[in-house]
Amino acid sequence: MSYANSRPMKLFAALREDTQQGWIWLQDTSLPARSVVKITNPANGSVVYCEALQIDSNFLSAYNQSPRITISNRETALVINGWYRTALGGLSTQTEVSLKIEPSNSWWGKFKACTHHPQIIVRVAAWLGAIGLFLGIIGLALGVLSLCPRA
């Protein structure tokens, strides 16, 4: 099953231990394990990148504890924290929203997953790495230029 086309997903709040993590939970067997996905809200064009974990029986037994609202249909369930719901346009839990979810396992998708992460230390580290790469390329170019003979 692939969510590449927009389809209604019922949103569920993340577990307490997942509220500051850079992942969502869904069921899509076509995605590789711990795949990076791009989630687009077609209603407003908002986009987030994050890691996708699979809803399985172990997750459901931990999630479906009273007094929490239980997930009865894991095919359409999306467990997502407040950070990503806000970034997608302030989406509320227990609502059905059409979202486009597609794999994005390229180096760019992984970088974007870091820059969209809920924890600031991950976002800062990603940007510092990008700045370091940029400065390294400039340094390499200047070093090569200094070796070229001048007229």
Side-chain angles (χ1 to χ4, degrees):
M1 170 186 339
S2 177
Y3 297 113
N5 295 322
S6 296
R7 67 177 268 156
M9 304 289 293
K10 184 166 184 182
L11 303 184
F12 291 86
L15 295 169
R16 175 179 283 175
E17 57 268 19
D18 290 342
T19 58
Q20 296 301 312
Q21 300 301 327
W23 57 63
I24 55 146
W25 292 86
L26 55 73
Q27 184 168 357
D28 184 350
T29 55
S30 70
L31 291 173
R34 299 193 75 106
S35 182
V36 172
V37 293
K38 175 184 177 184
I39 305 172
T40 306
N41 183 350
N44 60 16
S46 298
V47 172
V48 296
Y49 289 79
C50 60
E51 205 171 1
L53 303 179
Q54 298 292 325
I55 294 176
D56 60 9
S57 300
N58 291 329
F59 176 80
L60 284 178
S61 65
Y63 193 92
N64 290 342
Q65 298 292 317
S66 182
R68 192 175 302 114
I69 296 171
T70 60
I71 296 172
S72 56
N73 182 1
R74 62 173 120 176
E75 301 287 326
T76 61
L78 179 63
V79 181
I80 184 169
N81 66 34
W83 174 265
Y84 293 127
R85 289 193 317 270
T86 300
L88 287 169
L91 304 176
S92 299
T93 59
Q94 297 307 304
T95 58
E96 273 199 15
V97 179
S98 287
L99 297 172
K100 182 178 178 184
I101 301 174
E102 55 192 326
S104 186
N105 287 304
S106 65
W107 66 270
W108 181 248
K110 292 173 183 177
F111 174 73
K112 294 298 285 181
C114 291
T115 61
H116 289 188
H117 198 280
Q119 295 180 18
I120 192 165
I121 189 67
V122 176
R123 295 190 310 268
V124 169
W127 282 112
L128 288 175
I131 291 168
L133 175 65
F134 176 72
L135 292 174
I137 290 170
I138 289 174
L140 178 65
L142 291 174
V144 169
L145 280 176
S146 71
L147 296 176
C148 294
R150 298 176 205 199

